[in-house]
């Protein structure tokens, strides 16, 4: 079972183009795209255009090639587009929206979760407190939720956040495969304590709940993203947690991805610059 994992592409087309080429060359059975898939630099309310004009045909290529493509949106992808995203995935039998869901392929079970621990940034569509006793950080401004009519400002985000399920609760609600040695979790949020969660300013922002969950259940593999710079800051892009291998490849200027052979558990991280000089369109 050959798996290719990539995360945090943020709508960069040349990276998506390379993703198809390297998946084909690696003869991947499964590609996993771990969230924050849509462009974030222009108007977030136009992310639907990227789904319709680009992702749809991107998915079609994998579908035609018979390569499974498991994916979900991330915290920078607006929730108002979840339905469109899922409908677009559902057009292709090889493409699966893995958010809060399990999918089995080649005898392995993949389980996805795309909620994130709250941060100081204003967009709160997928933010949660980590655990019940989580201390919310100082904020950059009033919280914002996407609605079809534009932003909805949240007057008191802290009070509102306390009414939502925590990351710990969200993880416990996931379907739990019986055989963890044949299971892989795809969790946008990295765990804490493993050097996979460090920002440029030195802050370690990983999730305690994710760490505890992985420690408790020991899946064969867990795949994370979210903190693009962490591997460059810590020099670490994977960690062993007893039986589990936890991978967080990061994503900076180069197209960065990980190849994994699930049978032998050989894995490698590749930074690819081919295609970066192509004109961005
Ligand atoms: Zn993210």
């Amino acid at each position: 079972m050959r798996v290719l994992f990539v995360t945090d592409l943020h709508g960069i087309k040349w990276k998506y183009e390379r993703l198809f080429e390297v998946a084909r060359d690696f003869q991947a059975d499964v590609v996993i795209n771990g969230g924050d898939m849509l462009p974030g630099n222009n108007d977030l309310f136009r992310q639907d255009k990227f789904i319709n004009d680009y992702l749809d045909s991107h998915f079609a290529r994998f579908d035609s090639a018979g390569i499974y493509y498991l994916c979900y949106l991330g915290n920078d992808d607006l929730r108002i587009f979840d339905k469109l995203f899922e409908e677009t995935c559902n057009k292709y039998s090889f493409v699966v929206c893995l958010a809060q869901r399990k999918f089995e392929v080649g005898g392995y079970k993949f389980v996805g979760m795309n909620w994130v621990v709250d941060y100081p940034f204003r967009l709160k569509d997928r933010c949660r407190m980590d655990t019940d006793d989580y201390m919310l950080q100082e904020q950059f401004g009033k919280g914002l939720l996407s609605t079809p009519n534009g932003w909805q400002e949240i007057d008191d985000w802290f009070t509102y956040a306390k009414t939502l399920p925590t990351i710990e609760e969200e993880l416990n609600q996931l379907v739990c495969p019986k055989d963890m040695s044949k299971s892989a979790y795809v969790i946008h949020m990295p765990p804490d304590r493993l050097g996979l969660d460090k920002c440029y300013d030195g802050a370690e922002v990983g999730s305690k709940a994710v760490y505890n969950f992985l420690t408790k259940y020991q899946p064969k593999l867990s795949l994370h993203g979210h903190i693009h710079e962490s591997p460059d800051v810590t020099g670490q892009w994977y960690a062993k947690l007893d039986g589990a291998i936890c991978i967080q490849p990061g994503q900076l200027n180069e197209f960065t991805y990980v190849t994994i052979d699930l049978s032998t558990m050989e894995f490698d991280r590749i930074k690819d610059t081919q295609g970066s000089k192509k004109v961005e369109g």
Side-chain angles (χ1 to χ4, degrees), residues 8 10 35-36 74-76 116 119 188 225-228:
D8 298 272
H10 289 276
D36 284 347
N75 55 284
D76 281 336
V116 297
Y119 42 51
H188 188 67
H226 191 49
I227 309 300
H228 305 175

Side-chain angles (χ1 to χ4, degrees), residues 51-52 55-56 59 83-92 95:
I51 299 176
N52 287 324
L55 264 192
D56 195 325
F59 289 161
K83 190 163 173 281
L84 172 68
F85 178 77
E86 203 163 334
E87 285 166 358
T88 307
C89 292
N90 290 345
K91 285 165 76 172
Y92 304 102
V95 180

